[in-house]
Amino acid sequence: MTTRRWAVSSGRGTAARVITGIGALFALIEVVYILMILFGANQANSFFQFVKSLAEPLALFFPGLFNLANDNLETIVNYGLAAVFWIVVASFLARLVSR
């Protein structure tokens, strides 16, 4: 007969996972927006407008940080930096919470 032990997770570990998940979700929104721009999505489409309405505020101060000649490269750099920012900030906050 096998005895099962149920692991009790701490609230701090759960909070850290939630923070990491939120940061990953924010970064995913930025990446989806980048891909939609790169693949030439119809900007009049309601789904595109929805993703854009989420991505632009989450990008904070990054859009316009680098003004490049190629618009696609500018989108990749500026919104990509925002995605990296959310991953780094979320992991930092998760580490603080889990201590």
Side-chain angles (χ1 to χ4, degrees):
M1 184 168 169
T2 305
T3 305
R4 293 185 186 247
R5 291 185 171 203
W6 299 99
V8 177
S9 69
S10 69
R12 291 185 297 187
T14 302
R17 283 191 295 274
V18 168
I19 290 170
T20 303
I22 290 171
L25 178 65
F26 287 177
L28 179 66
I29 291 169
E30 297 295 337
V31 169
V32 168
Y33 182 67
I34 290 169
L35 292 175
M36 291 177 83
I37 293 290
L38 290 179
F39 291 131
N42 179 8
Q43 295 189 5
N45 185 290
S46 60
F47 181 70
F48 179 86
Q49 291 298 322
F50 174 70
V51 172
K52 181 180 178 181
S53 71
L54 294 175
E56 286 182 344
L58 290 175
L60 302 173
F61 52 85
F62 290 104
L65 185 62
F66 294 103
N67 293 319
L68 305 173
N70 185 342
D71 290 337
N72 286 341
L73 183 60
E74 184 176 337
T75 300
I76 292 170
V77 171
N78 290 329
Y79 285 88
L81 282 173
V84 170
F85 170 80
W86 284 116
I87 295 293
V88 169
V89 167
S91 64
F92 176 73
L93 290 175
R95 282 189 185 167
L96 283 179
V97 168
S98 67
R99 286 186 175 192

